[in-house]
Amino acid sequence: MRHLLDLSYEEIEAEFASWGEPRYRAKQVFDWVFRHGATEFDAMTNLTPALRARLAEAFTIAPLPVLAERRADDGATVKALLDLGGGDAVETVRMDYDPDEDGAPDRVTVCISTQVGCAMGCRFCATGLQGFTRNLSPAEIVAQVLHFSRASLAAGTHRITNIVFMGMGEPLANYAGTIAAIRWLTRPEGLGLRQRGITVSTVGVIRGIERLAEEGLQIGLTISLHAPDDELRRNLIPTAGGTTIDQLIEAARMYIDRCGRRVTFAYALLDRVNDEPEQARALARRIRGIQAHVNLIPYNPTAGPDLRRPNIGRVRAFLRELQAAGANATVRIERGVEIAAACGQLRTDVQRAQTRPIALVE
Ligand code: SAH
Ligand code: SF4
């Protein structure tokens, strides 16, 4: 059966019109889904029983079943493993930031996945090493956020403020699913999040960046660079192929022009591979003059034995070198490391979870 969120809002309005229902029915239905956390049409008490029955015959709004949930950082990081059926599962992580005196977080970020596996094959990425299984549908992407937003509604706290597309998969290789999900997350009848609170991270699908820039959205863009030169970049991202760093920088410039947003370059730091001071200087030279920020991510050693995380001294030295050369740069604060919730290391844990159940907390 079709999931209702696999249709766009406009398609659902049109469906209601063809049923002879007024347009505002769509708004009522999504009020239940997004603001009351409804997971079945029968809960929608302001619809007639006949309409509820008709909806239930045509569509589902069932959530993804929860296989496990784990907490870290005193509950400020929560990772959920959700069942996609057919032996596939997807992980999604909630991270709370900057609690006030009462412990209520100022910012709540959910990290979501767009594919089962990934075809890009980055050498340092647990997801990449697993290969590609399939794209997630819009409903499956939104379901990851709804999982946490329902919990927020129930608890009356942890209202989601930010979404990062930094889980499993390459969002711009599942463009249709990603953009449909973004529409649901940002439109007022959907979750109604600020566009600026959403960030898409891409390995560098140029056509996808161009399309995203044309959508008229103000969402943030992160481009995963990982190297100051094309030879090393192609070594780390075997599928980078014909895409050059120059093209990526050009795409970033265009995105900044169109969307008025600063672009972030992600750089996974790998010991003695891409973390030498001269590589920092080369990187700074290449991105000079654009409104960009470099986000250094010390490697999470999940992918394989041949790569290592640099020690803190080398991370600091790389950061200092970048800053001295005029680049805007920070080191990403890691969350949930002990429950493998850090973005980019999700899939391996999913697979382990399938053979060896992970501990359920709460
Ligand atoms: N496919 C997208 C988004 C998902 S990965 C992309 O590649 O950008 C999110 C971020 O985590 C990317 O910047 C990615 O390079 C980084 N990442 C993946 N595996 C990592 C690892 N083992 N250590 C550190 N960063 C990693
Ligand atoms: Fe895919 Fe991103 Fe992992 Fe590369 S880093 S394999 S693009 S998920």
Side-chain angles (χ1 to χ4, degrees):
M1 197 186 297
R2 282 190 92 179
H3 199 289
L4 194 64
L5 294 175
D6 280 333
L7 279 71
S8 70
Y9 188 80
E10 291 74 15
E11 285 170 335
I12 292 158
E13 276 188 330
E15 184 80 12
F16 278 130
S18 77
W19 293 359
E21 292 285 342
R23 289 173 84 81
Y24 65 79
R25 288 279 182 247
K27 192 165 176 338
Q28 287 179 316
V29 167
F30 290 106
D31 232 40
W32 282 105
V33 172
F34 288 98
R35 259 159 285 289
H36 299 284
T39 54
E40 50 184 34
F41 294 110
D42 247 356
M44 304 179 179
T45 47
N46 56 353
L47 307 184
T48 62
L51 179 56
R52 284 185 249 157
R54 186 162 190 187
L55 277 165
E57 268 167 39
F59 302 106
T60 172
I61 49 168
L64 296 177
V66 183
L67 294 172
E69 196 160 88
R70 291 199 287 171
R71 285 156 199 276
D73 306 320
D74 281 335
T77 304
V78 183
K79 178 171 75 167
L81 179 66
L82 305 176
D83 190 0
L84 295 168
D88 290 322
V90 71
E91 281 187 318
T92 176
V93 184
R94 190 194 80 205
M95 293 156 285
D96 299 347
Y97 294 95
D98 305 331
D100 62 19
E101 306 93 73
D102 303 326
D106 185 44
R107 196 153 50 86
V108 177
T109 298
V110 177
C111 175
I112 58 176
S113 303
T114 53
Q115 301 182 315
V116 182
C118 182
M120 304 310 294
C122 301
R123 274 180 46 201
F124 49 83
C125 173
T127 308
L129 295 183
Q130 304 290 333
F132 175 70
T133 304
R134 70 172 175 88
N135 281 332
L136 297 187
S137 73
E140 287 170 330
I141 300 172
V142 177
Q144 299 165 55
V145 182
L146 282 176
H147 167 73
F148 288 118
S149 78
R150 273 194 308 274
S152 311
L153 285 168
T157 178
H158 303 296
R159 206 176 55 81
I160 296 163
T161 56
N162 295 69
I163 305 284
V164 293
F165 284 76
M166 295 186 187
M168 287 156 55
E170 168 48 46
L172 298 184
N174 176 11
Y175 192 86
T178 296
I179 196 71
I182 291 171
R183 299 267 175 221
W184 277 121
L185 296 174
T186 54
R187 66 177 311 139
E189 302 87 352
L191 205 59
L193 295 178
R194 294 159 58 247
Q195 291 177 9
R196 289 178 165 267
I198 297 193
T199 300
V200 169
S201 178
T202 177
V203 72
V205 179
I206 301 272
R207 181 72 197 110
I209 297 173
E210 289 168 352
R211 284 176 77 185
L212 197 59
E214 299 300 332
E215 297 283 355
L217 293 165
Q218 290 238 309
I219 59 174
L221 178 70
T222 294
I223 300 176
S224 294
L225 215 50
H226 308 312
D229 64 88
D230 288 313
E231 197 191 334
L232 178 59
R233 189 165 193 274
R234 286 188 189 124
N235 181 294
L236 296 173
I237 311 170
T239 56
T243 305
T244 63
I245 293 174
D246 279 344
Q247 285 173 318
L248 292 173
I249 290 172
E250 199 37 51
R253 229 186 263 283
M254 179 274 304
Y255 192 86
I256 296 161
D257 269 1
R258 286 288 153 78
C259 304
R261 298 289 318 265
R262 184 174 78 163
V263 164
T264 297
F265 290 113
Y267 195 101
L269 276 175
L270 304 161
D271 189 44
R272 322 272 157 173
V273 173
N274 65 358
D275 70 338
E276 300 294 347
E278 60 265 26
Q279 289 168 315
R281 289 192 291 273
L283 176 64
R285 268 198 306 278
R286 291 202 81 147
I287 63 170
R288 192 161 289 158
I290 44 176
Q291 288 265 38
H293 180 91
V294 180
N295 196 354
L296 300 174
I297 321 166
Y299 170 61
N300 285 310
T302 55
D306 59 326
L307 296 168
R308 285 181 317 270
R309 153 185 282 215
N311 66 35
I312 187 71
R314 288 182 72 84
V315 173
R316 286 211 185 101
F318 195 89
L319 176 67
R320 260 199 317 271
E321 207 65 55
L322 271 179
Q323 290 171 334
N328 210 318
T330 45
V331 177
R332 182 186 289 177
I333 308 157
E334 281 186 276
R335 297 292 295 269
V337 177
E338 69 269 39
I339 57 167
C343 295
Q345 63 180 71
L346 298 184
R347 173 65 180 248
T348 303
D349 205 55
V350 171
Q351 294 223 315
R352 272 194 219 121
Q354 283 168 353
T355 51
R356 175 165 60 83
I358 53 178
L360 260 176
V361 180
E362 292 192 356

